[in-house]
Amino acid sequence: MASSFLHPRYESLSRSEIEALQSERLRETLGQCMKSPFYRNRFRNAGISPQDIRTPDDLVKIPFTTKQDLRDNYPFGLCTVGLDKVVRLHSSSGTTGTPTVILHTQRDLDQWADAVARCLYMVGLRPGDIFQNTSGYGMFTGGLGFQYGAERLGLLTVPAAAGNTKRQIKFIMDFGTTAIHAIPSYAGRLYEVMEEMGIDPRRDTRLKTLVIGAEPHSEEQRRRIESMLGVKAYNSFGMSEMCGPGVAFECTEQNGMHIWEDYYIVEIVDPVTLEPVPEGEVGELVLTTINREAMPLLRYRTRDLTRILPGECPCGRHHRRLDRMKGRSDDMMILKGVNIFPIQIETVLMQFPELGNEYLITLTNKDANDTMTVEVELKEFHDDYPGMQSLTREITRQLKDEILITPEVRLVPKGTIPKTDGKAVRVKDLRKTLI
Amino acid sequence: MTVHQISVFIENRSGTLVKVLDLFKEAGIQLIASTISDTVEYGIFRIICSEPMKARKVLEEAGVSSNVSDVFAVSLDNYPGRAADAVRFLSKAGIGISYMYSFMLSGKGILIFRTNDPERTKEVIRDNGIESLNDESLLSLV
């Protein structure tokens, strides 16, 4: 199996070697962190010094870092190098208030590209392969992250970016694309449109590999995508705070995502007590970067719920495997790969004096397309049909501006939004495995 | 010239219509005419009844979203073409009809409608000698 290791030096480390490397890199990272005003204050306030932390087991002494910390110190408060050493900035969409910013030195970008290249190599991609990336580019890390990683590996990389499905298919046909990165629902969409165009992906394309992620999906969904497109589909995990794609990736066993423990120290904690959960149990993923220069993060709460898969992977790597993400410890929804919080929708709705306080967000995925329906109670009913129509249009427009997705807005009579225990249910996720 | 119409904003779900009608039944209010608009987005149940103000109160107490408004009610002689004549008067005057429904009552054809220009509508009804109804005169036909 060694032939599938792009970085045998790191990929073939034993557990004890991984832990030794982590201790060494953690100590370097702590030294680096002390160059940022944020972590200097944090350590001082907690009454700890970097010397107190020698191994990953000592991490529990350090307070968690949260997304709110990144917002409060926007944009450069966590930076540990001079800005003249920073060559790239990525930002979250800022959908819930102040955006968050992640900074990279050239070394950070190189390390990131190496991680993505390692992932793609692991699933069998080699120079000669043609890799089409359907991620949004720009500030979103799924675009440039895969671009640089695939180029690092030597793949012919097509930055097709998001949308324009017919053009994507034309590229697949014309260039002989062998591998695609797409969110699962978009992979389903590609198949649908190919079918409409009379294209059988198994017969008419060279596709063999699909990289999926950024959107919850089940094993059944994966299998259906694989059989429709005639590919092997590999799940991936990444988040902009941890660089972006390339944090954890499935090997050809397709059973859990190896998290690169030469880059990250993994903890799984109970999201309420914040205590570590027993090995193999589901909790919130907490990550410490140990291979980053410009903006290392210690014990970052990802809000993603998952578990460490017990046992050894037959592929021979000892980097532990994360199970599929089980959901979120906050109320974030992921729709068409876009992160959305109910509070964003609430904020828009509450600006309309015509509307009551109750609303219900329903997520469905008819025809493999994620759809959001927002039902909201009308405060007073005036039997003014044209007025209701234009109100509906205006709410839809403003919601689209906020969440970047066009929801179906429906005004409903007062008192009709279902409640449980007097508390309104805000989100109903009825998305099923349809693909 | 106008009668009181109750409009109920109803959920597109089975059982909601029965709930409204049961409230009328318990209160002893009689339906004279009603119509339900069938759009994808909203269900609007419009009702002409024997005691509109009481009906409104009953609905309000039951927490049902409703509204009472004035709609035009005209009474036409019972032979073919009278509705066309009446609507033509409005049309010629450039008045738009938002919605309309009709029914037969005591040998008369009754048109209920709302327009985009109530003042002008009143003039047209008066000037053309169309017989109009109010709550009392409508109820007297029942």
Side-chain angles (χ1 to χ4, degrees):
Chain A
M1 281 309 290
S3 65
S4 76
F5 292 1
L6 179 64
H7 305 137
R9 182 176 158 205
Y10 294 109
E11 286 174 82
S12 60
L13 293 175
S14 68
R15 277 318 299 170
S16 62
E17 287 167 333
I18 287 174
E19 279 152 29
L21 179 67
Q22 286 186 326
S23 297
E24 180 194 322
R25 288 190 169 180
L26 174 61
R27 290 193 290 267
E28 286 167 17
T29 295
L30 290 167
Q32 188 70 15
C33 284
M34 288 310 110
K35 296 177 193 165
S36 90
F38 171 78
Y39 277 118
R40 265 202 312 275
N41 288 335
R42 178 99 351 151
F43 273 60
R44 195 168 47 231
N45 295 339
I48 49 174
S49 88
Q51 286 70 43
D52 299 334
I53 319 296
R54 308 306 299 167
T55 72
D57 290 339
D58 297 326
L59 273 177
V60 292
K61 298 174 189 168
I62 306 174
F64 292 99
T65 305
T66 65
K67 197 173 187 80
Q68 191 59 43
D69 292 324
L70 301 191
R71 288 202 191 103
D72 292 346
N73 295 277
Y74 172 86
F76 303 135
L78 277 86
C79 191
T80 62
V81 297
L83 280 186
D84 58 339
K85 296 282 187 296
V86 175
V87 298
R88 175 91 69 78
L89 174 157
H90 277 285
S91 170
S92 73
S93 50
T95 45
T96 49
T98 311
T100 54
V101 153
I102 300 293
L103 305 165
H104 301 273
T105 62
Q106 185 57 53
R107 183 186 179 279
D108 290 335
L109 292 185
D110 287 340
Q111 291 299 317
W112 179 14
D114 280 342
V116 174
R118 184 192 293 178
C119 297
L120 297 175
Y121 192 88
M122 177 165 67
V123 298
L125 299 185
R126 299 289 183 273
D129 273 306
I130 298 170
F131 179 82
Q132 186 167 327
N133 186 10
T134 70
S135 267
Y137 276 67
M139 293 296 223
F140 181 59
T141 55
L144 290 175
F146 271 110
Q147 183 74 30
Y148 279 66
E151 288 176 0
R152 173 64 50 96
L153 185 55
L155 309 183
L156 196 173
T157 309
V158 183
N164 201 341
T165 306
K166 287 208 166 125
R167 195 182 65 147
Q168 300 276 6
I169 293 167
K170 182 176 165 51
F171 288 167
I172 292 170
M173 306 289 290
D174 293 355
F175 304 153
T177 301
T178 57
I180 286 192
H181 168 238
I183 57 174
S185 60
Y186 193 64
R189 178 72 192 148
L190 280 174
Y191 176 74
E192 259 175 26
V193 177
M194 282 187 191
E195 213 180 19
E196 283 166 22
M197 295 165 74
I199 294 167
D200 173 359
R202 311 185 68 109
R203 187 190 61 209
D204 304 327
T205 76
R206 295 182 61 217
L207 291 175
K208 58 167 188 174
T209 306
L210 177 69
V211 174
I212 48 180
E215 195 180 64
H217 64 279
S218 63
E219 184 57 29
E220 190 192 349
Q221 200 174 0
R222 183 236 296 267
R223 294 298 170 206
R224 295 186 72 167
I225 293 173
E226 286 188 327
S227 80
M228 285 184 322
L229 291 174
V231 295
K232 281 282 177 193
Y234 298 98
N235 198 1
S236 69
F237 171 76
M239 61 192 311
S240 63
E241 296 92 323
M242 294 296 128
C243 282
V247 177
F249 219 87
E250 278 183 340
C251 64
T252 48
E253 297 294 323
Q254 294 183 305
N255 182 23
M257 299 173 282
H258 290 281
I259 180 152
W260 300 124
E261 295 187 81
D262 50 332
Y263 283 75
Y264 307 99
I265 297 175
V266 185
E267 297 171 85
I268 306 281
V269 304
D270 182 309
V272 180
T273 65
L274 300 179
E275 295 294 325
V277 299
E279 180 93 21
E281 287 192 14
V282 173
E284 182 179 328
L285 178 67
V286 171
L287 294 176
T288 296
T289 69
I290 50 171
N291 195 16
R292 205 152 76 177
E293 215 171 36
M295 199 168 156
L297 295 175
L298 304 175
R299 304 194 83 203
Y300 185 75
R301 290 189 61 185
T302 65
R303 306 285 171 176
D304 284 308
L305 300 176
T306 184
R307 66 184 186 120
I308 300 276
L309 287 179
E312 294 283 310
C313 183
C315 80
R317 291 178 187 84
H318 300 284
H319 297 258
R320 288 177 297 173
R321 292 165 299 159
L322 300 181
D323 201 355
R324 278 198 158 71
M325 296 298 140
K326 307 279 182 196
R328 301 271 306 173
S329 70
D330 55 19
D331 51 7
M332 189 179 87
M333 305 169 265
I334 304 176
L335 205 75
K336 300 184 179 182
V338 176
N339 298 348
I340 300 169
F341 289 87
I343 188 73
Q344 291 175 263
I345 289 162
E346 182 167 320
T347 307
V348 169
L349 296 178
M350 294 313 138
Q351 285 163 6
F352 290 88
E354 300 92 332
L355 302 178
N357 293 325
E358 306 302 337
Y359 64 93
L360 176 66
I361 299 162
T362 307
L363 307 177
T364 53
N365 58 348
K366 198 174 172 296
D367 304 329
N369 279 321
D370 283 351
T371 306
M372 175 189 284
T373 305
V374 178
E375 289 172 275
V376 58
E377 290 188 1
L378 196 61
K379 204 184 278 172
E380 277 174 34
F381 171 66
H382 293 294
D383 193 356
D384 171 16
Y385 184 69
M388 286 162 78
Q389 277 184 313
S390 63
L391 178 64
T392 305
R393 272 196 303 270
E394 183 57 20
I395 297 168
T396 308
R397 195 185 64 76
Q398 292 205 19
L399 282 174
K400 195 202 172 214
D401 281 352
E402 174 65 31
I403 60 174
L404 311 176
I405 282 174
T406 307
E408 190 183 320
V409 174
R410 205 174 291 156
L411 302 177
V412 300
K414 211 163 55 181
T416 54
I417 301 278
K419 291 175 188 175
T420 50
D421 303 331
K423 193 169 174 275
V425 180
R426 298 303 193 193
V427 182
K428 244 177 20 189
D429 195 342
L430 304 177
R431 287 180 290 185
K432 294 272 187 314
T433 301
L434 290 171
I435 298 170
Chain B
M1 202 170 276
T2 58
V3 296
H4 286 110
Q5 171 189 261
I6 302 290
S7 304
V8 185
F9 187 18
I10 52 171
E11 239 187 316
N12 190 4
R13 185 174 304 186
S14 92
T16 51
L17 198 53
V18 173
K19 185 185 170 190
V20 173
L21 291 171
D22 273 344
L23 288 168
F24 277 61
K25 182 181 176 184
E26 283 159 26
I29 299 167
Q30 198 179 357
L31 244 57
I32 298 171
S34 74
T35 172
I36 297 181
S37 67
D38 177 26
T39 68
V40 186
E41 304 112 305
Y42 324 107
I44 301 179
F45 185 19
R46 297 185 173 115
I47 305 158
I48 304 293
C49 63
S50 57
E51 293 167 89
M53 298 328 265
K54 182 176 168 189
R56 169 85 169 111
K57 194 161 167 274
V58 166
L59 291 168
E60 196 161 33
E61 282 165 5
V64 176
S65 281
S66 65
N67 166 264
V68 62
S69 61
D70 294 330
V71 288
F72 289 101
V74 300
S75 166
L76 306 172
D77 287 339
N78 186 13
Y79 61 87
R82 287 298 285 128
D85 298 339
V87 173
R88 187 174 300 108
F89 289 131
L90 296 169
S91 168
K92 273 189 175 163
I95 296 167
I97 293 173
S98 313
Y99 57 82
M100 168 182 277
Y101 49 105
S102 72
F103 51 99
M104 303 292 296
L105 192 62
S106 301
K108 287 284 187 181
I110 314 291
L111 288 187
I112 304 281
F113 56 94
R114 173 172 288 163
T115 69
N116 60 2
D117 187 347
E119 288 313 310
R120 187 94 183 79
T121 305
K122 280 178 195 168
E123 286 170 27
V124 169
I125 289 174
R126 214 167 17 231
D127 297 350
N128 292 284
I130 301 168
E131 188 188 346
S132 63
L133 299 170
N134 58 24
D135 285 342
E136 290 73 34
S137 53
L138 177 64
L139 194 56
S140 72
L141 296 176
V142 175

